[in-house]
Amino acid sequence: MILRIVCCALSMLALAACTETRFESTPGDKIVACDPAWKGLWVDASANASKSEPDELAFRVDQECRFFMLERPEKDGPPKQIHIPLNYVHDQGKNYLVIADNQLGEVVDLAPVHGIKPVPKKSFFIARYEVDHDRLRIYPVDAKRSASLVIDEVLDGTVDASNKQLHVYIQGDRAKVLDIVRNKKIFAEKPDAEVRRIKLSLEQYERKRSARRAGKSP
């Protein structure tokens, strides 16, 4: 599972390769590589969480603040850990997650940005997030809303809405993108990913999971 977090969600991405919004720049200059509030092991806590595996893995952030997406290639096999560099922006009491598209090659095959030549070497996915103690909610960009803003010339960019896909690219320097996330209603009103932190190491979690699946007490 790529947890709707990094595939339909890290969910901001909506990386089902059918709906996405990318930005030319990061929001502002005050971007950091660590938010300590993310440290720990997180599991799916959404309404769509698996009933058979209610606490199935989502991701972990280690003590060095490295983000690892956890994917289980085999149902009863060990999780595969995929490192994805994340960045964070804190602005006016809001928190934003930023991922460069050129860091996602191991996760998804992304097409080049539509309608821009020369093709930019990289662009960025942005999401808003909230951390409430041991709960984390991620709000993706609403691609349809951002596409409308581009079509109406409120924002600069391009829109590709063909073959039942929607690809939006929003142009602007860092100051412009920061203004957009501050003042334009581009984010979804409801979180597209929700996870909770558990007080276990990955090794402890795996032992507990294995025992549960075998019908034994951990």
Side-chain angles (χ1 to χ4, degrees):
M1 117 181 165
I2 304 184
L3 179 75
R4 291 167 316 280
I5 275 196
V6 189
C7 193
C8 219
L10 235 191
S11 181
M12 71 185 178
L13 304 183
L15 288 183
C18 58
T19 302
E20 60 164 3
T21 302
R22 282 185 261 183
F23 294 79
E24 180 180 10
S25 307
T26 61
D29 296 313
K30 296 180 180 179
I31 187 166
V32 296
C34 179
D35 182 344
W38 281 59
K39 291 183 179 181
L41 181 64
W42 300 81
V43 298
D44 193 0
S46 69
N48 297 319
S50 169
K51 292 182 180 179
S52 61
E53 294 290 348
D55 56 350
E56 186 61 329
L57 289 178
F59 64 86
R60 77 178 184 95
V61 178
D62 67 13
Q63 289 304 306
E64 285 71 47
C65 238
R66 294 174 298 180
F67 174 95
F68 292 92
M69 188 181 76
L70 299 171
E71 183 182 18
R72 202 179 297 277
E74 298 180 9
K75 192 172 184 178
D76 286 313
K80 177 182 179 182
Q81 301 189 56
I82 303 173
H83 176 230
I84 302 174
L86 302 187
N87 290 287
Y88 310 84
V89 172
H90 308 292
D91 176 74
Q92 297 185 349
K94 298 289 181 66
N95 303 304
Y96 303 99
L97 181 64
V98 181
I99 303 180
D101 60 1
N102 64 349
Q103 298 287 349
L104 295 170
E106 195 173 347
V107 178
V108 66
D109 184 15
L110 286 172
V113 169
H114 170 76
I116 301 293
K117 292 185 178 180
V119 175
K121 293 182 178 180
K122 66 178 176 180
S123 54
F124 302 90
F125 291 100
I126 301 173
R128 187 174 71 82
Y129 71 89
E130 297 173 347
V131 180
D132 182 10
H133 300 291
D134 290 328
R135 287 273 175 162
L136 170 63
R137 300 175 182 88
I138 298 177
Y139 299 77
V141 170
D142 185 317
K144 291 183 178 179
R145 192 180 302 166
S146 60
S148 295
L149 291 172
V150 172
I151 292 169
D152 293 341
E153 299 184 348
V154 175
L155 300 178
D156 296 325
T158 64
V159 175
D160 177 7
S162 58
N163 299 319
K164 296 183 180 180
Q165 298 185 8
L166 179 58
H167 303 278
V168 184
Y169 181 64
I170 296 177
Q171 294 174 280
D173 61 15
R174 292 185 176 190
K176 178 64 176 178
V177 172
L178 181 60
D179 179 70
I180 291 170
V181 300
R182 281 176 174 174
N183 300 307
K184 304 299 181 186
K185 294 183 178 180
I186 62 170
F187 296 105
E189 295 179 1
K190 295 181 179 180
D192 203 25
E194 183 172 356
V195 291
R196 61 184 177 87
R197 179 166 32 215
I198 58 176
K199 306 299 184 181
L200 297 173
S201 68
L202 182 56
E203 293 74 18
Q204 290 169 332
Y205 171 86
E206 285 298 300
R207 287 197 296 270
K208 181 179 178 181
R209 180 183 188 272
S210 295
R212 181 178 67 243
R213 293 182 65 81
K216 302 176 181 178
S217 298

